[in-house]
Amino acid sequence: MTPGYFHYGPASVEELPKTETLPGIPPTKCTDRLNNENKSILIPAEKVAGETGRSSMMMATFNFMNSILGSGIIGLPYALNQAGLPFGLLLLIAVACITDYSIILLIRGGNLSGTNSYQSLVYITFGFPGYLLLSALQFLYPFIAMISYNITTGDTLTKVFQRIPGVVPGHILAERHFVILASTILFTIPLSLFRNIGKLGKVSFLSMMLTLIILIIVIIRADTLGPQIPPTVNAWAFAKWNSIQAVGVMSFAFICHHNSFLIYGTLKQPSLTNWSLVTHVSVGSALIVSAVFAVAGYTTFTGYTQGDIFENYCRNDNLVTIGRFCFGLSIITTFPLECFVTREVVSKLICSRDLTKVEHLVITLIIVAICTAISMTYDCLGIVLALNGVVSATPLIFIIPSACFLKLSSGRWFQGENLIASILILLGVFIMVTGLTMIGVYPQDCSHGAEMLYCADANISVTQPPN
């Protein structure tokens, strides 16, 4: 093997020059591209890593966990409210297992096809129409995720700042628009301008530590605040009718496939064995954190649980204020991971070569600016999580990796491992159709910024749970 290259395909293939672009991407306006759609290739290491940076398996794991544990985690208690606590936990475990399996299936498909990106894999297997569909989904999911991150930042940090003496409603620090704009300029833009995703490993580690602090706070409040919340009807039902909508929220929380090839490429030794270990540790750890967070949040508020669990807590709770601050900071550090993916999709649609520094800067600023503008005009998080989970995350987790693997593997669809992939495709289609129906039938009320009535002792006995 040639040093500095990752080999995909037969060893007899001649070496490509280091100026070669990634395979399987349809022609664009750029002219410096070679047609290698049907060749096995040697991919320069810097192409996979996003320049020359490499990361250890531990740093790759932190990046992967950070990609999973984004804003979706605060919607998981609401998912249990939709599905019922016992059945919701079973669904959460199932979604995690399917996520783990399909991530590895995705990289295996890349190895079989000689590709190193999600877009290239789908183009090789399903041609230009499949490539366009995947590009739309790969752009849509992280793009909407970034919008949800900004919404969460605005909702969360404004309540934190209002605990500062002198900061009252109407103060500039209590205005969500100002908070979103300030966090974007000061933090998300500088972090999003990194060209190598491996450099975010330490930032992701910080985000994981913040998530653990938040988890501890939610557990403490489940014990101290939970007994004071009025009981609700069917709070402990085994299952509820709109469970499929809950799967959409869970899929949103666990989706990380759009980052898979990027993070895989940062490994110092990118092999399927190493990648499987990173995937198992990342998804397994995320499942434990997510399950504990979901149960603690739901058992605290039961039928009152909202799409953003922090909207359930009272504003004068100092311990939760610390949790809100940690979560806001965690979300800010997660934003750049999603920006990497949206920028990659846009750059490959415009030009299938490495971006110049000016192009990199301009595309990043445009993406961040559009996300910021939308998040400043829309503030209901629950519907964002559910729709993005059903429309974007479900096909990226269940359908597309399985379809690519079936197309590339030998044997019939009902034989061996192909049968599992076939079942996942059918399950994904069912979740998408049923989930969209449930979102229409059971729309979520959005009480953004409203103080819950049980926060006032005088009203605690007459508070009604949201519909």
Side-chain angles (χ1 to χ4, degrees), residues 375-447:
S375 60
M376 291 174 69
T377 58
Y378 189 76
D379 60 8
C380 194
L381 182 64
I383 190 65
V384 174
L385 299 181
L387 275 175
N388 206 18
V390 171
V391 175
S392 303
T394 298
L396 288 172
I397 292 177
F398 291 80
I399 300 175
I400 299 179
S402 302
C404 289
F405 182 78
L406 279 178
K407 185 81 171 180
L408 294 168
S409 63
S410 58
R412 303 187 177 219
W413 66 268
F414 53 81
Q415 292 178 335
E417 196 172 13
N418 289 353
L419 178 60
I420 300 177
S422 301
I423 293 174
L424 290 182
I425 293 174
L426 295 176
L427 185 60
V429 172
F430 173 77
I431 291 173
M432 288 186 67
V433 174
T434 310
L436 286 173
T437 303
M438 289 295 181
I439 290 174
V441 174
Y442 298 99
Q444 181 204 350
D445 293 333
C446 181
S447 58

Side-chain angles (χ1 to χ4, degrees), residues 260-301:
S260 296
F261 281 102
L262 284 173
I263 298 176
Y264 173 74
T266 67
L267 289 174
K268 292 179 180 178
Q269 296 180 336
S271 66
L272 191 58
T273 300
N274 289 342
W275 178 248
S276 297
L277 180 59
V278 169
T279 301
H280 295 329
V281 172
S282 301
V283 176
S285 300
L287 172 60
I288 294 172
V289 173
S290 298
V292 174
F293 188 95
V295 171
Y298 175 73
T299 54
T300 304
F301 302 106

Side-chain angles (χ1 to χ4, degrees), residues 170-202:
H171 192 281
I172 190 171
L173 290 178
E175 293 293 331
R176 63 183 301 271
H177 300 87
F178 173 78
V179 171
I180 292 173
L181 188 61
S183 65
T184 297
I185 295 173
L186 295 176
F187 299 104
T188 55
I189 287 180
L191 291 174
S192 297
L193 286 174
F194 278 119
R195 294 177 69 96
N196 173 26
I197 198 172
K199 292 182 179 179
L200 291 175
K202 294 180 180 179

Side-chain angles (χ1 to χ4, degrees), residues 151-173:
I151 292 174
T152 304
T153 300
D155 290 348
T156 303
L157 293 185
T158 51
K159 294 181 176 63
V160 173
F161 293 146
Q162 288 182 58
R163 298 298 295 158
I164 301 174
V167 179
V168 296
H171 192 281
I172 190 171
L173 290 178

